[in-house]
Amino acid sequence: MTNHLVFEVGTALILVALAALLAGRLKFSIIPFLILLGMVVGPHAPHFGIIDLRFIGSSEIIEFFGRIGVLFLLFYLGLEFSVGKLIRSGPSIVIGGSIYVALNFILGLVYGFAVGFPVMETFIIAGLLSVSSSAIVAKVLVDLKRTANTETELILGIVLFDDIFLAIFLSIMSGLLLGESTTILGTITSVLISLGYMILFFIIARKGAPILNKLLNIKSNEIFILVIFASLFFVAGFSEKLHVAEAIGALLLGLVFSETEHRERIEHLVIPFRDFFGALFFFSFGLSIDPFSLGGAVWLALGAVVLTIISNFVAGMISGRKAGLSHKASSNIGLTIVSRGEFSIIVANLGLAGGLMPILKPFTAVYVLILAILGPFLTKESKNIYQLLNKIFKWENKGNLKKQSTSILKNQSEEKNSHGM
Amino acid sequence: MNIREIELPGIGKKYEIITKSADKIVIIIHDDGRREIYYFDQEDYEEAIASTTFDDSEARKIAAIIGGMTYAPKALETIEMAFDDLVIEWSKVEPGALAVNQTIGNLNIRQSYEVNIVAIIKRNHQKIHTPGPETILEVGDTVIVSGQRNQVKKIVKEILSRRDG
């Protein structure tokens, strides 16, 4: 079989590229397209002559590529992230982020228990309901030309906060799920180990920057990439040995590098790998799902979707109003952050790796598929949704939303030129 | 003019500008080098009504134009420097002005207007410092006059500018 391996992977890549082209043409995020594509092909798919859409021989290698995709996704997240950024972004983001995470997580717990999941499964579900897709949110904001809006700062801040939550949540859960102990004390120990591991990396990030700056001062790109990737794969793999999810290892290493002066160089280096292997990650996730097994999970996922939309809207409203935004701008917040994608899948995969109920997989697939498509749509239609809700809740009449500061400026201003556009 | 700089994690940097004439403009510098400029509705600072996108090289060229680096804005016809009531003014001799093809002596400038002609820049960029009474003024010369503000205004109006009718 191995002699066909490259051809099989090549076939898979052609399909992935076509799906991505289609997504681009339709101005959609590629995430749902690649998951759907993976679901359509796979063991149940037909094969004609040399074109084999079952990917039996190559499924292992594709899955491994997907794993690498997770490492790159989280490594990049760590790079992008910096404590300084969060501190600079101010108090309204901490408030908004806390409200957002708390509301989603608590409702997720309630939902998990209500539909009768065991404790661990419920935690995983609450977690995957709470993490929005940074990739989709950023893309939608840019595509819809909303980057200049006032509420966008708050949206991105909440997403950043959400990412921190994801990191902490994954560490704790990997301690709970991947540790091999059965006693309460052993479990607590393994959770403490993974939290200690995290703190260790924080300290390295804070204190080790000068040494790392020297060590990474490598002129040759060839050697630089080898050093970076070697540390990435080694640290991720080593974390797994300590029962800390490899994804967390990648994220923490990204965090360490983000404090060095080589951050941008590493970012530029990693982006193409993140995009390539990330695409394979979504494809391989779809590939591992049997479309005929979705039945039992559809209703569960639909319930979770409705819950997520409501909780996102409410959390966005509260944090927006707290930050002094208008009702209209605040309504945009929840309707933008509602998209779900890569991180929900990563949380679910951790649960599956920990041997939890297999229904998590189809549940997450349906949930992410719906919200990766519906989320951007809600963002696009936020104005109409707001107007509809405004009719019910009567937040504001077609009011004048100008800030007072401008009227003072206006008085000083001379007559305006008409602006030809 | 009021400028706020805001970090947009994962996207880039954002500059929110409110100008003296109460226009709200937002400039986004994307991490990938693109720049976007948004112009907001004067009545509603939440509604962007126009936007445009530049790539990195376009943005640099436009920045140079706005900053006056590539194309120095043509100075206003008159540049004034004021020392309390004493001003120095650059003024062109317009076609049809009284001063055309007259000498400084003939025009009796010092006596009639109590101002000094400090220098003249001819059309071929030749500079004449402290011109004497025999110097002839021609169309297109830039005359640098110093004196009391109202007197300088007067000489520019009566002798150097085109006479209507």
Side-chain angles (χ1 to χ4, degrees):
Chain A
M1 275 318 276
T2 44
N3 48 357
H4 296 304
L5 203 51
V6 173
F7 184 70
E8 271 200 30
V9 173
T11 312
L13 284 174
I14 286 280
L15 293 174
V16 167
L18 287 174
L21 277 171
L22 181 68
R25 183 60 55 85
L26 297 173
K27 281 203 171 295
F28 262 99
S29 159
I30 65 170
I31 295 174
F33 281 75
L34 294 179
I35 298 174
L36 277 175
L37 173 74
M39 282 161 67
V40 171
V41 298
H44 47 268
H47 60 107
F48 353 75
I50 60 160
I51 304 284
D52 186 347
L53 296 182
R54 293 174 301 173
F55 299 113
I56 292 168
S58 57
S59 67
E60 257 182 43
I61 190 95
I62 290 175
E63 192 192 334
F64 183 71
F65 283 157
R67 258 173 91 176
I68 295 177
V70 173
L71 296 190
F72 280 120
L73 277 165
L74 285 164
F75 180 58
Y76 185 80
L77 187 73
L79 278 176
E80 273 279 285
F81 181 81
S82 79
V83 184
K85 265 186 191 171
L86 198 74
I87 293 167
R88 277 203 301 277
S89 49
S92 59
I93 279 170
V94 176
I95 297 168
S98 314
I99 293 170
Y100 182 81
V101 171
L103 192 68
N104 275 286
F105 193 74
I106 291 165
L107 283 176
L109 288 177
V110 170
Y111 184 73
F113 283 126
V115 296
F117 274 111
V119 177
M120 279 302 163
E121 278 81 353
T122 300
F123 267 105
I124 287 286
I125 284 187
L128 72 89
L129 259 55
S130 312
V131 287
S132 84
S133 165
S134 312
I136 298 182
V137 170
K139 184 181 181 311
V140 168
L141 283 170
V142 172
D143 285 353
L144 293 176
K145 296 203 171 291
R146 295 225 179 140
T147 41
N149 290 13
T150 330
E151 75 274 3
T152 299
E153 301 153 39
L154 192 53
I155 290 173
L156 291 168
I158 293 175
V159 170
L160 193 69
F161 196 91
D162 204 24
D163 295 341
I164 306 171
F165 163 77
L166 170 81
I168 297 170
F169 176 80
L170 280 178
S171 313
I172 295 175
M173 288 313 282
S174 63
L176 285 175
L177 292 168
L178 307 179
E180 281 149 7
S181 66
T182 43
T183 59
I184 299 264
L185 192 68
T187 311
I188 290 173
T189 313
S190 61
V191 170
L192 286 178
I193 286 175
S194 50
L195 281 177
Y197 191 63
M198 237 181 129
I199 291 162
L200 174 75
F201 271 89
F202 272 113
I203 293 168
I204 295 174
R206 275 312 214 207
K207 301 275 181 242
I211 302 166
L212 282 168
N213 281 342
K214 270 207 195 67
L215 286 176
L216 293 176
N217 201 352
I218 301 167
K219 276 217 166 51
S220 145
N221 272 334
E222 186 182 28
I223 299 169
F224 188 72
I225 197 170
L226 284 171
V227 170
I228 297 294
F229 283 19
S231 15
L232 169 60
F233 280 69
F234 184 80
V235 167
F238 181 74
S239 309
E240 194 74 352
K241 283 262 176 258
L242 289 179
H243 307 305
V244 177
E246 58 190 35
I248 287 292
L251 181 111
L252 292 173
L253 187 71
L255 209 65
V256 168
F257 286 156
S258 79
E259 298 291 335
T260 67
E261 56 199 24
H262 303 281
R263 186 181 70 104
E264 279 194 17
R265 188 179 176 191
I266 301 171
E267 258 182 43
H268 287 300
L269 201 82
V270 167
I271 287 173
F273 288 88
R274 180 203 63 179
D275 291 344
F276 176 73
F277 289 106
L280 282 168
F281 162 62
F282 297 118
F283 176 70
S284 84
F285 177 71
L287 205 57
S288 66
I289 291 164
D290 177 4
F292 302 107
S293 74
L294 291 178
V298 169
W299 289 109
L300 273 180
L302 278 175
V305 166
V306 172
L307 187 78
T308 301
I309 293 174
I310 294 170
S311 67
N312 271 262
F313 188 82
V314 172
M317 255 337 201
I318 298 172
S319 27
R321 294 298 292 159
K322 273 218 178 305
L325 298 174
S326 70
H327 284 95
K328 189 166 139 207
S330 305
S331 70
N332 276 342
I333 298 173
L335 293 172
T336 306
I337 310 185
V338 75
S339 297
R340 294 289 181 267
E342 65 279 30
F343 299 138
S344 300
I345 301 174
I346 290 169
V347 170
N349 278 346
L350 177 70
L352 293 163
L356 299 185
M357 289 161 75
I359 191 164
L360 279 177
K361 185 168 255 179
F363 167 83
T364 309
V366 178
Y367 176 76
V368 168
L369 271 179
I370 295 175
L371 280 178
I373 295 171
L374 191 64
F377 175 77
L378 289 173
T379 313
K380 198 169 150 198
E381 295 300 325
S382 61
K383 210 173 184 174
N384 297 331
I385 296 170
Y386 167 75
Q387 277 163 357
L388 189 80
L389 290 169
N390 196 18
K391 284 202 181 86
I392 305 165
F393 290 101
K394 303 270 185 295
W395 284 308
E396 55 202 23
N397 318 327
K398 214 174 144 17
N400 201 348
L401 303 161
K402 291 213 64 161
K403 312 233 168 25
Q404 294 84 3
S405 62
T406 63
S407 55
I408 303 162
L409 287 166
K410 260 211 152 124
N411 294 342
Q412 303 169 347
S413 73
E414 292 144 30
E415 56 170 354
K416 264 185 38 231
N417 306 325
S418 61
H419 13 253
M421 287 299 169
Chain B
M1 180 114 152
N2 173 344
I3 304 180
R4 272 175 78 223
E5 179 187 328
I6 308 121
E7 192 82 56
L8 295 182
I11 290 179
K13 263 202 169 53
K14 165 172 162 180
Y15 293 88
E16 203 170 80
I17 301 159
I18 293 174
T19 64
K20 279 206 190 77
S21 50
D23 279 322
K24 179 177 163 184
I25 296 161
V26 171
I27 297 172
I28 312 275
I29 301 183
H30 288 263
D31 287 336
D32 61 12
R34 279 179 308 139
R35 321 280 205 280
E36 281 179 306
I37 298 186
Y38 290 85
Y39 176 79
F40 280 76
D41 187 348
Q42 276 241 318
E43 298 310 316
D44 176 2
Y45 275 2
E46 289 188 353
E47 281 297 321
I49 50 179
S51 74
T52 176
T53 309
F54 309 121
D55 67 22
D56 186 62
S57 70
E58 285 172 329
R60 282 169 198 277
K61 285 193 184 101
I62 289 164
I65 292 169
I66 293 177
M69 284 166 251
T70 53
Y71 161 80
K74 194 158 177 280
L76 300 169
E77 279 301 308
T78 58
I79 305 168
E80 275 199 0
M81 289 168 68
F83 316 93
D84 287 339
D85 200 32
L86 192 71
V87 297
I88 297 178
E89 184 156 335
W90 280 248
S91 178
K92 266 207 165 63
V93 179
E94 296 185 337
L98 250 180
V100 174
N101 299 336
Q102 301 278 350
T103 62
I104 291 176
N106 277 354
L107 290 166
N108 213 355
I109 285 172
R110 210 174 272 202
Q111 283 72 23
S112 331
Y113 295 98
E114 296 172 329
V115 298
N116 266 322
I117 295 194
V118 183
I120 296 170
I121 304 170
K122 297 303 249 182
R123 270 171 58 189
N124 58 5
H125 297 296
Q126 184 204 344
K127 297 180 189 72
I128 306 170
H129 285 287
T130 50
E134 72 290 348
T135 313
I136 298 175
L137 293 174
E138 292 169 302
V139 174
D141 287 358
T142 302
V143 183
I144 300 159
V145 192
S146 76
Q148 295 258 337
R149 183 187 296 274
N150 50 359
Q151 298 284 25
V152 170
K153 266 211 162 80
K154 201 166 143 195
I155 184 176
V156 169
K157 197 173 149 217
E158 291 180 6
I159 293 189
L160 303 174
S161 304
R162 179 199 310 264
R163 280 164 307 159
D164 297 324

